[in-house]
Amino acid sequence: MNIGQSFKLAVKSLMTSKMRSLLTMLGIIIGVAAVIIITSLGNGMQNYMNDQFEQMGSNLVQAQVYTTNTSLDIKAADMYDLAEKYPQYLSGVTPYKSVQGTVRQGSDEFKRTSVYGVGETFYNVDKNTLMTGAAMGKGRFLSYVDVERAQAVCVVGAYLEQEAFGGDALGKTLTVNGAPFTVVGVLATNADLSAGSSDDCIYIPYTQADRLGGQSYMELYMFTSTGRDTAAAAKGIVENRLLKAYHNSDFYMVMTSAEMMDAMDSMVSLLMSILTLIAAISLLVGGIGIMNIMLVSVTERTREIGVRKSLGAKRRDIRSQFIIEAGTTSAIGGSIGIGFGIIMANVITSVIALSLGTGNDGFVAVPTLQGIAVAFGVSVAIGVAFGYLPANKAAKLNPIDALRYD
């Protein structure tokens, strides 16, 4: 019996008992679908984060400095002096302070609004984007004069404009921790216009943030290098200045956007690997199910095996027939699992896009051909591996004993 005949016989055997075949393949279906979904989510997450970092720019350098409340502490003026000293490497710098407080507009309180203190270089006029990748929609961003004089002006997100000012925020006033701020600019819609999203934010001069009570245990500075090629050198300059001030690298951490991207990719890859291994347990369970049902099948077809052996079938013929049947079962289950996994990945993409408000330009779970091929290959390999024991048992049956079996 050739491979084609064995395959036809395997399909015929599966069709004879459809429900039993489906239950046999269930573990493989679930395992393969889980692997496809997890790898798709991992690829989608990596692509989404890379896009976000690309929006921020490949020349971004962030420095986190842990304050000691001593004379050693770096000040914003020190960082500005550093940028002026090395203009061939550093094109700009801004403090980035988070302000904890209450935001009000009239009698309305916005508890989830994020308030940040930044400098004028946080906004790139040529690209019309902030360092975070958001774009200006109306008005202007903070100016050098605003920062230098600590003027009470602010730029708000699109959500805050809609909810607090009915879509017309320019020139209006809101309060942060009781201090009034006049809105001079509004950001373009960046998320889903919901509370707590990136559209629910306020940017004020960092000099005002100091007065309102910015973070005390850590200071964050965002630098821009003159280009992608000078980012590493810019990072070294910042590190040397901080080491000179603190004499200990434990007090600060400096990373380029490329390094942040690599670190996030590594974390996502590790997480996806762990989740994939967990999902692979379903494949193992599916393989055990196939082995169990194949052992039952060998018992049920003992007389058939005896007849075939009496007509001249060799051990390898019997063995290959049952191995092909097990492989066919797992291959069909793997194919169904791949289809189900792709469908679920698309459904999850739609749900996440809806929740983020990003549409087709945001998060997309991406099933790869390599991932699909590996999942299918593993499912077939598991069927063959777990089907070998029943196949070998069938091949070793004594034809006389098999013909006598009832």
Side-chain angles (χ1 to χ4, degrees):
M1 183 180 291
N2 58 34
I3 295 178
Q5 291 174 322
S6 298
F7 178 75
K8 291 180 180 179
L9 187 60
V11 174
K12 182 179 179 180
S13 176
L14 291 174
M15 296 301 294
T16 301
S17 182
K18 298 183 181 65
M19 182 56 68
R20 187 173 75 172
S21 300
L22 179 61
L23 294 175
T24 302
M25 294 184 290
L26 192 58
I28 296 293
I29 293 173
I30 294 174
V32 170
V35 170
I36 294 296
I37 292 171
I38 290 171
T39 55
S40 299
L41 290 175
N43 292 330
M45 190 178 299
Q46 285 183 324
N47 292 338
Y48 179 73
M49 289 190 303
N50 290 341
D51 289 342
Q52 296 300 309
F53 277 113
E54 285 296 329
Q55 290 181 13
M56 294 170 63
S58 58
N59 63 334
L60 184 65
V61 180
Q62 292 190 16
Q64 292 182 358
V65 182
Y66 303 97
T67 59
T68 61
N69 295 321
T70 67
S71 60
L72 296 176
D73 285 341
I74 288 287
K75 307 299 181 183
D78 299 320
M79 296 291 95
Y80 277 103
D81 290 342
L82 190 65
E84 292 179 1
K85 185 177 180 180
Y86 298 97
Q88 67 272 38
Y89 298 107
L90 297 170
S91 59
V93 59
T94 175
Y96 189 80
K97 299 176 179 290
S98 178
V99 178
Q100 305 298 324
T102 303
V103 177
R104 291 182 179 276
Q105 201 288 315
S107 59
D108 297 327
E109 180 178 342
F110 299 90
K111 298 181 179 179
R112 301 181 63 184
T113 300
S114 301
V115 182
Y116 303 104
V118 298
E120 72 282 359
T121 53
F122 189 71
Y123 172 65
N124 187 315
V125 179
D126 296 330
K127 296 181 179 179
N128 189 38
T129 57
L130 277 60
M131 286 185 177
T132 54
M136 284 296 299
K138 301 178 184 178
R140 65 173 179 85
F141 196 70
L142 306 175
S143 67
Y144 170 80
V145 174
D146 295 332
V147 176
E148 186 67 18
R149 296 181 179 178
Q151 297 189 149
V153 295
C154 67
V155 175
V156 301
Y159 166 81
L160 206 57
E161 182 188 39
Q162 291 294 331
E163 295 298 318
F165 303 102
D168 183 21
L170 293 180
K172 305 295 177 58
T173 302
L174 53 74
T175 63
V176 179
N177 287 350
F181 285 83
T182 301
V183 178
V184 296
V186 180
L187 300 179
T189 301
N190 190 51
D192 61 349
L193 292 175
S194 64
S197 70
S198 56
D199 289 325
D200 186 12
C201 61
I202 300 175
Y203 290 102
I204 63 176
Y206 75 87
T207 45
Q208 274 285 349
D210 289 335
R211 298 178 181 180
L212 293 176
Q215 290 180 339
S216 59
Y217 65 91
M218 184 187 76
E219 298 287 347
L220 176 62
Y221 297 93
M222 301 178 74
F223 295 82
T224 50
S225 63
T226 52
R228 180 192 296 264
D229 298 335
T230 59
K235 175 190 174 183
I237 291 171
V238 176
E239 285 182 324
N240 289 337
R241 178 64 182 89
L242 293 174
L243 182 61
K244 182 179 179 181
Y246 291 99
H247 309 291
N248 190 333
S249 59
D250 292 339
F251 288 101
Y252 60 85
M253 181 174 65
V254 184
M255 293 184 71
T256 65
S257 55
E259 290 174 333
M260 288 185 282
M261 189 185 303
D262 292 340
M264 292 299 296
D265 284 345
S266 298
M267 291 174 60
V268 171
S269 297
L270 178 60
L271 178 61
M272 291 302 107
S273 297
I274 295 173
L275 292 177
T276 301
L277 288 175
I278 294 174
I281 296 176
S282 296
L283 291 174
L284 181 63
V285 174
I288 294 173
I290 289 176
M291 181 173 65
N292 181 55
I293 207 66
M294 291 303 299
L295 287 171
V296 174
S297 180
V298 169
T299 302
E300 292 176 344
R301 294 158 62 184
T302 299
R303 286 181 62 82
E304 175 193 329
I305 295 169
V307 171
R308 290 188 60 197
K309 281 197 167 187
S310 66
L311 293 176
K314 298 180 180 179
R315 284 189 173 186
R316 65 173 178 269
D317 297 323
I318 302 297
R319 185 182 295 111
S320 63
Q321 176 190 344
F322 281 93
I323 288 177
I324 290 174
E325 187 170 324
T328 301
T329 302
S330 59
I332 294 174
S335 300
I336 296 173
I338 289 171
F340 182 68
I342 293 175
I343 292 173
M344 289 303 300
N346 290 328
V347 170
I348 293 173
T349 295
S350 300
V351 172
I352 293 178
L354 183 63
S355 64
L356 294 177
T358 54
N360 295 328
D361 297 328
F363 179 90
V364 178
V366 185
T368 62
L369 290 177
Q370 181 181 3
I372 291 172
V374 170
F376 180 78
V378 170
S379 68
V380 174
I382 284 177
V384 171
F386 281 86
Y388 181 82
L389 179 62
N392 197 48
K393 177 182 177 182
K396 291 181 179 181
L397 285 176
N398 186 295
I400 297 177
D401 294 335
L403 287 170
R404 289 177 179 175
Y405 184 83
D406 287 331

